[in-house]
Amino acid sequence: MKYKLLLVLLSLFAVFFVATVVAYAQEKNPTDDEVNAVAKKLYCPVCPNTPLDVCETKACEDWRAQIRDQLSAGWSEQQIIDYFVAQYGERVLAEPQRSGFTSLVWMLPVLAVLFGVVLVWQVLKNWRSVRKPLVNNPPSASVSPEAIARIEKELREMK
């Protein structure tokens, strides 16, 4: 009987210990690196062209604290970004979305490089076709022997 009571108490203690460990593991405090990984994808609402992870304004500190709270609550990175876009518009995104008119931001550099490659190819192709031969071949002699004899005769008479 004593052993059964001891066994029950040990079992209850083990269950309590496991429940405490599980509850502690679920309470996640995100690290600064995790917060900055999300903040890097957002821009400061006050400073122009300054990523949220490096800005030192009060607004950015508040945003990073909000990101930390949202990560602690179990929000995903995309949910947090979507929340800030819904609150402040797409201007807070460090990287514009790849849809609609903003897709030109992604396509224009590629098109410019392709256009440049085609242009250089055309110029090189034209340079090759215009290039003159390095050796000048004299025209072939098609003068008849009678004409040569007459020219020599006239040259002798001039002396």
Side-chain angles (χ1 to χ4, degrees):
M1 178 107 161
K2 287 182 183 181
Y3 294 110
K4 286 184 180 180
L5 182 62
L6 184 60
L7 187 61
V8 169
L9 286 174
L10 284 174
S11 299
L12 286 174
F13 178 74
V15 168
F16 175 73
F17 180 74
V18 169
T20 305
V21 170
V22 169
Y24 180 74
Q26 287 178 351
E27 186 179 314
K28 181 183 175 193
N29 291 325
T31 64
D32 287 340
D33 290 337
E34 292 171 331
V35 171
N36 284 335
V38 177
K40 185 184 297 184
K41 297 180 180 181
L42 299 171
Y43 270 11
C44 173
V46 179
C47 308
N49 298 326
T50 305
L52 184 63
D53 63 329
V54 295
C55 187
E56 296 180 10
T57 63
K58 177 68 175 145
C60 289
E61 288 176 16
D62 293 343
W63 276 26
R64 285 192 296 269
Q66 187 174 0
I67 291 171
R68 183 179 305 280
D69 293 341
Q70 289 170 335
L71 286 172
S72 295
W75 288 34
S76 71
E77 183 176 304
Q78 190 59 47
Q79 287 174 320
I80 296 170
I81 291 172
D82 291 342
Y83 169 79
F84 281 101
V85 168
Q87 293 293 316
Y88 303 100
E90 286 190 23
R91 66 184 176 90
V92 298
L93 292 176
E95 183 178 294
Q97 294 179 349
R98 298 178 184 191
S99 63
F101 182 72
T102 57
S103 61
L104 284 178
V105 172
W106 301 104
M107 286 190 289
L108 283 179
V110 173
L111 292 174
V113 168
L114 288 176
F115 178 75
V117 167
V118 169
L119 185 68
V120 167
W121 180 72
Q122 286 293 328
V123 167
L124 291 176
K125 187 172 112 177
N126 287 338
W127 280 353
R128 281 189 195 151
S129 63
V130 174
R131 191 184 322 169
K132 294 180 180 179
L134 297 175
V135 178
N136 286 334
N137 293 333
S140 60
S142 61
V143 181
S144 66
E146 296 88 26
I148 292 176
R150 192 179 73 209
I151 292 173
E152 287 177 355
K153 178 182 170 190
E154 287 179 12
L155 286 174
R156 275 186 247 133
E157 288 175 2
M158 287 177 59
K159 290 185 185 177

